[in-house]
Amino acid sequence: MKKIILYALAVMVFGIANAQGTGSRFGIKAGVNFPNSSSDFNENENLIGYQVGIFSEIKTVENFGIQPELFYSTHGVKNKFERDGVTYNNDIKFRYLNLPILAKYFVTQGLSVQAGPQIAFLMKAEENGINITDHVKTIDFGLNFGIGYNFLDVCSVDLRYNLALSNAVDFHVADDNYKIKNNVFSLAVGCKL
């Protein structure tokens, strides 16, 4: 796990160094996560989270660029289910270190459409305040789709959807199988340094 995180950091540092060499920009970002998690639970309510991190915008040609990012992200799901006449209420909260690498196509000056893969490394998971990190998959894969707008030459805003490609939680209780996928809408503001 440590090797994977170090590899992700190396990719981000390389992207930042490349961005400085090409005249592209490095920046910081923060935003809100609105999970749209899919699960096998009878009743499901999503818990809003946040994200904070760094990015570099590397323009390869006038209308196209690549944006690697590295950010800490939180979100959760509140579920309710009944088993053998007993009702269970669970709050599951996730904390990830996300590494998306996005291709950006600038439709007009400032306005871009974005898409690309994301790998997320689990930092911590809790159920009703109890650490369940050992019972959640350590790596989560997804695809990001979204739009962004650069304004004031140094600021940007992004609206994205992360489509989960794998189950973050996949466990069995007796004859029942419970799965949760981390689909997340996010709205983030960035500032180029």
Side-chain angles (χ1 to χ4, degrees):
M1 179 67 177
K2 288 180 183 177
K3 288 181 181 179
I4 294 172
I5 292 174
L6 288 174
Y7 178 72
L9 290 171
V11 168
M12 189 66 195
V13 168
F14 174 75
I16 291 167
N18 188 37
Q20 292 174 347
T22 61
S24 296
R25 307 279 294 269
F26 162 77
I28 57 175
K29 66 180 286 190
V32 181
N33 293 331
F34 302 95
N36 184 26
S37 300
S38 60
S39 73
D40 296 334
F41 297 105
N42 296 337
E43 294 182 34
N44 196 30
E45 179 184 338
N46 294 293
L47 303 173
I48 294 173
Y50 66 90
Q51 60 176 263
V52 61
I54 58 176
F55 71 93
S56 62
E57 184 180 77
I58 306 163
K59 279 201 172 178
T60 54
V61 294
E62 185 177 341
N63 292 340
F64 185 76
I66 296 176
Q67 184 165 310
E69 300 179 353
L70 183 65
F71 59 89
Y72 181 78
S73 177
T74 70
H75 67 276
V77 62
K78 181 182 288 190
N79 55 61
K80 182 178 179 181
F81 64 97
E82 188 174 316
R83 177 159 179 77
D84 298 329
V86 178
T87 301
Y88 296 90
N89 291 295
N90 295 325
D91 286 354
I92 301 175
K93 296 178 182 175
F94 301 102
R95 293 178 180 88
Y96 285 98
L97 186 64
N98 292 348
L99 176 66
I101 300 177
L102 304 165
K104 296 177 73 172
Y105 177 74
F106 290 89
V107 179
T108 63
Q109 185 175 0
L111 180 65
S112 66
V113 291
Q114 311 167 359
Q118 173 176 291
I119 184 168
F121 305 98
L122 181 69
M123 304 304 287
K124 189 172 185 181
E126 293 179 330
E127 181 177 4
N128 298 332
I130 298 169
N131 189 333
I132 60 165
T133 304
D134 292 339
H135 303 290
V136 177
K137 294 183 179 178
T138 57
I139 297 179
D140 195 23
F141 296 99
L143 282 177
N144 281 295
F145 305 95
I147 58 173
Y149 187 73
N150 293 347
F151 59 97
L152 300 178
D153 194 41
V154 294
C155 297
S156 63
V157 61
D158 295 319
L159 177 63
R160 291 192 199 141
Y161 183 70
N162 177 59
L163 175 66
L165 299 178
S166 58
N167 292 315
V169 174
D170 188 355
F171 64 91
H172 303 276
V173 176
D175 295 331
D176 296 326
N177 186 26
Y178 298 103
K179 298 178 181 182
I180 297 176
K181 285 192 173 185
N182 286 321
N183 300 315
V184 179
F185 283 101
S186 63
L187 179 63
V189 175
C191 180
K192 298 172 188 171
L193 305 175

